[in-house]
Amino acid sequence: MLVLLPPSEGKASSGRGAPLKPESLSLPGLAEARAAVLDELVELCASDEEKAREVLGLSEGLRGEIAKNAELRTAGARPAGEIYTGVLYDALDLASLDAAAKRQATRSLLVFSGLWGAVHVNDRIPSYRCSMGVKLPGLGALAAHWRTAMADVLPEVAGGGLVLDLRSAAYAGAWKPKGEVAGRTASVRVLHAPTRKVVSHFNKATKGRIVRSLLVGGVRPAGPAELVEALRDLGYVVEAEAPKKGNTAWSLDVLVEEIH
């Protein structure tokens, strides 16, 4: 099982660990694309603070994020699972998982990123600010920049099992499963049952809880149909219908009564 996650806007501080070692990151097929984004982002933030703030879409209160980006090569690095914070990651609570669940998390969780493309939760990275929606002056839109490299790398990473896609729309634009990989992919949205609407906070929180439930329960569904049954067994209310065409991703709705 491969679980595709969005990052979080909020991030923990880099701390005082050893600095980034790009060659140590997983998915080495993304190395060239990573280097291109890192080079331009660091140069932009080090040379023109006002332009960097405009490009990154930062408010005046977040101006400090620019200096952080300028020091990415020397800042301390920590496991990505510690860097990413926010609602989904609070609900997932990787630190409190037992040893077996943590091992499974390092194998199966893949976090998409405007800067790194995608990383496993044990990849050591510094704190940064660069969303997938950014359009860098030289490279252009980051989702488009990542698309070619992802198309070569991600099908192999997906292996032969279930792909559980929990990404937001901006990050989903960097890689869309195709062919037989699409046929074993399930994307999930979380709806407030009374209104049938997506509400950001509990959408993220419920996705974090879903991943945690699967990891803690040692559940590894073979495909989308098995995922639906597994989630129902875990107590989730799931609506799903098998695609009418082959090699098409499943869409699952998880219904939540209370917003919390």
Side-chain angles (χ1 to χ4, degrees):
M1 178 176 67
L2 180 67
V3 182
L4 311 181
L5 297 174
S8 59
E9 286 296 319
K11 298 176 182 68
S13 64
S14 292
R16 297 183 178 180
L20 171 71
K21 295 182 179 179
E23 69 278 5
S24 72
L25 297 179
S26 57
L27 282 62
L30 299 179
E32 184 176 345
R34 284 174 179 147
V37 180
L38 181 62
D39 287 348
E40 183 170 357
L41 183 63
V42 169
E43 173 63 24
L44 173 65
C45 291
S47 63
D48 192 333
E49 184 176 291
E50 202 54 46
K51 184 175 182 180
R53 190 166 75 89
E54 179 183 344
V55 168
L56 296 175
L58 300 179
S59 66
E60 181 64 34
L62 293 173
R63 186 179 287 272
E65 299 291 297
I66 299 167
K68 183 164 66 176
N69 281 349
E71 298 173 354
L72 283 171
R73 297 187 187 283
T74 56
R78 296 168 60 184
E82 297 177 12
I83 290 290
Y84 294 116
T85 58
V87 175
L88 188 155
Y89 291 91
D90 284 347
L92 174 53
D93 195 7
L94 287 167
S96 70
L97 294 174
D98 62 35
K102 283 182 178 177
R103 286 194 296 271
Q104 183 59 28
T106 61
R107 292 191 293 266
S108 62
L109 305 188
L110 194 64
V111 185
F112 275 62
S113 162
L115 174 53
W116 313 113
V119 292
H120 284 294
V121 292
N122 59 332
D123 281 327
R124 298 181 67 85
I125 59 173
S127 185
Y128 68 96
R129 190 74 173 222
C130 184
S131 73
M132 191 65 80
V134 164
K135 184 176 182 180
L136 291 174
L139 292 176
L142 288 180
H145 169 74
W146 285 112
R147 213 164 285 144
T148 299
M150 292 280 189
D152 292 335
V153 173
L154 266 293
E156 181 177 351
V157 177
L162 169 71
V163 178
L164 174 54
D165 191 352
L166 301 177
R167 297 173 296 169
S168 54
Y171 291 89
W175 180 61
K176 182 178 180 180
K178 295 181 180 180
E180 61 88 19
V181 179
R184 47 189 167 84
T185 296
S187 62
V188 173
R189 65 176 183 170
V190 180
L191 303 180
H192 184 215
T195 64
R196 311 291 296 189
K197 293 182 179 180
V198 175
V199 179
S200 179
H201 178 88
F202 76 81
N203 174 56
K204 295 174 182 177
T206 303
K207 286 179 177 179
R209 293 187 190 108
I210 286 172
V211 177
R212 183 178 178 86
S213 296
L214 295 171
L215 293 172
V216 170
V219 182
R220 303 178 190 177
E226 292 81 1
L227 173 65
V228 172
E229 294 307 312
L231 292 177
R232 288 172 176 164
D233 289 344
L234 289 166
Y236 294 95
V237 178
V238 182
E239 292 183 352
E241 185 176 338
K244 293 181 173 59
K245 296 181 180 180
N247 291 339
T248 301
W250 288 51
S251 294
L252 278 55
D253 288 341
V254 175
L255 305 184
V256 180
E257 291 289 340
E258 297 181 3
I259 301 176
H260 59 87

